[in-house]
Amino acid sequence: MIRDSELSDLIKYEDFQPGELWLDTNGKPIQAHGGSVLFDNGMYYWYGENKDGPNSLSRIGIQRVDVIGISCYSSSDLYNWTFEGIALPAISDDPNHDLHPSKVAERPKVLKNDQTGQYIMWLHVDNEDYTLAKTGVAISDNPAGPFVYMGSKRPNGVDSRDMTLFKDEDGTAYLIHSSDWNKTLIISRLTDDYTDLNGEFTKAFIDQSREAPAVFKHAGRYYLLSSGCTGWYPNAALVAESDRMMGRWELKDNPLSGVNARKTFYAQSTYVFPVQGLENSFIFMADRWWPEELADSRYVWLPVTFMDDGIEIKWADRWDLNTFRK
Ligand code: GAL
């Protein structure tokens, strides 16, 4: 019999291999799509959609997997991830619940609120035909969950599909979401406890049809990566920059370089996060969707490089955190 400790010795990653199969410390493929990473108390937590079920075609002809829930994995080195369980599971016994398997639960993002000590998850909840277009909120006292579902709403009364969260250095937090049938990206302030919206919002990219937003801040400047709207199929990423979250955003160029950069390396942005203890080190997280078998979708993680006139995200078959030390 193989003991757990021996098993985890079998799988020991020492680098990132974008687009390759990524196993957890139990040897199972990581199921954390459309995800995000939170650093808390010396550990990283990776939240994402668990899509470990069969594909089916929705009534509007989109490939889907029934909602299983939001996975949580933990890691101290960012290469090796331990499954912590389903932090927000599907609710099977109520067909009207936002988290019923027949619904859609995508792009979970988690922030810690330093005032309340709570962990707050926001996610896109929808019907299988994407007409509900709401954001759901769930709360936990522990980063690995379980999260308690608080309900959903249309933020400031408008539709919301792809989304992300961003927490600024002063603790102010924002929801960034595609609205107006994905034509416009809206940035909305959260309340101080992060469980609701405080009513302030700005339309950042009107009629630009951007989705899959990922926001980060470096040296006082805000960056927003996004994709075009082509469902599970890849397109060109764009970066925008601003000096203020609620200010004027300048849509710049495609910051990716290398083979298939115009197709975002056959992936779609989901999050960017800083590596702890290493200056100027941010990791770009993207999903390489596999529409016909969504469970087998892969992850593309790459380093962000800062240059005088913007950022660059270069393809690498393999890389490790020493990249940031060079
Ligand atoms: C994409 C979106 C994904 C998922 C998919 C469904 O545009 O970014 O999160 O909603 O559409 O087709």
Side-chain angles (χ1 to χ4, degrees):
M1 196 182 105
I2 300 180
R3 288 195 308 274
D4 273 0
S5 56
E6 284 169 342
L7 195 64
S8 59
D9 283 348
L10 296 176
I11 311 140
K12 187 90 187 152
Y13 292 106
E14 288 174 352
D15 59 9
F16 300 106
Q17 298 162 33
E20 297 299 321
L21 187 63
W22 200 347
L23 303 176
D24 68 13
T25 52
N26 287 322
K28 298 217 174 76
I30 293 176
Q31 282 292 336
H33 311 279
S36 58
V37 166
L38 171 79
F39 181 77
D40 185 53
N41 267 321
M43 288 299 269
Y44 293 94
Y45 296 88
W46 180 359
Y47 306 91
E49 303 158 29
N50 189 312
K51 289 187 137 25
D52 198 11
N55 259 55
S56 62
L57 214 50
S58 76
R59 59 173 175 254
I60 54 164
I62 290 181
Q63 294 282 354
R64 61 169 276 119
V65 169
D66 280 0
V67 176
I68 294 165
I70 305 306
S71 305
C72 177
Y73 293 82
S74 64
S75 174
S76 57
D77 65 6
L78 291 169
Y79 308 124
N80 299 284
W81 292 90
T82 299
F83 185 51
E84 296 282 349
I86 309 265
L88 182 69
I91 306 286
S92 303
D93 57 7
D94 177 1
N96 295 317
H97 198 285
D98 286 340
L99 300 175
H100 188 263
S102 64
K103 304 284 177 95
V104 165
E106 294 180 338
R107 297 190 176 267
K109 309 289 174 250
V110 177
L111 297 181
K112 182 178 187 181
N113 187 292
D114 297 318
Q115 305 294 319
T116 63
Q118 284 183 313
Y119 301 84
I120 297 100
M121 179 189 293
W122 285 65
L123 74 167
H124 169 201
V125 295
D126 225 315
N127 289 332
E128 75 166 80
D129 60 8
Y130 288 87
T131 54
L132 191 68
K134 287 182 168 182
T135 42
V137 176
I139 297 176
S140 175
D141 290 330
N142 298 299
F147 282 77
V148 176
Y149 193 65
M150 309 299 285
S152 65
K153 62 164 59 175
R154 285 192 154 198
N156 297 309
V158 298
D159 61 319
S160 175
R161 292 183 178 82
D162 278 9
M163 50 136 287
T164 193
L165 297 179
F166 171 72
K167 176 179 171 180
D168 211 337
E169 285 149 322
D170 64 358
T172 314
Y174 302 84
L175 169 74
I176 300 95
H177 65 101
S178 304
S179 189
D180 193 14
W181 286 98
N182 293 339
K183 288 208 291 288
T184 297
L185 206 61
I186 295 183
I187 301 177
S188 306
R189 266 278 303 267
L190 301 189
T191 50
D192 289 347
D193 66 3
Y194 303 169
T195 64
D196 208 341
L197 298 134
N198 85 346
E200 282 171 62
F201 67 91
T202 181
K203 295 187 174 188
F205 306 101
I206 298 169
D207 288 339
Q208 305 273 346
S209 294
R210 307 304 301 168
E211 62 178 8
V215 176
F216 63 103
K217 186 183 191 182
H218 174 257
R221 206 152 167 76
Y222 300 88
Y223 297 84
L224 191 159
L225 285 154
S226 62
S227 77
C229 299
T230 52
W232 301 122
Y233 298 92
N235 54 55
L238 286 179
V239 67
E241 292 182 27
S242 179
D243 290 327
R244 284 186 305 124
M245 271 305 280
M246 299 291 238
R248 199 183 144 269
W249 285 84
E250 189 192 345
L251 253 186
K252 294 187 90 180
D253 204 352
N254 182 341
L256 276 48
S257 71
V259 181
N260 299 318
R262 300 296 303 172
K263 291 271 183 222
T264 315
F265 315 124
Y266 290 103
Q268 186 185 28
S269 44
T270 184
Y271 207 65
V272 176
F273 67 94
V275 179
Q276 295 303 307
L278 280 178
E279 275 191 42
N280 306 326
S281 50
F282 287 78
I283 296 180
F284 167 69
M285 292 169 70
D287 296 287
R288 184 175 282 177
W289 302 114
W290 185 241
E292 275 68 45
E293 201 180 341
L294 285 164
D296 201 23
S297 301
R298 304 287 166 84
Y299 312 99
V300 171
W301 288 25
L302 290 165
V304 177
T305 309
F306 295 93
M307 297 171 316
D308 288 346
D309 59 347
I311 60 161
E312 188 179 29
I313 299 171
K314 233 192 247 172
W315 176 260
D317 291 331
R318 301 179 87 121
W319 66 282
D320 62 28
L321 296 176
N322 286 318
T323 305
F324 295 121
R325 299 191 175 95
K326 283 169 198 154

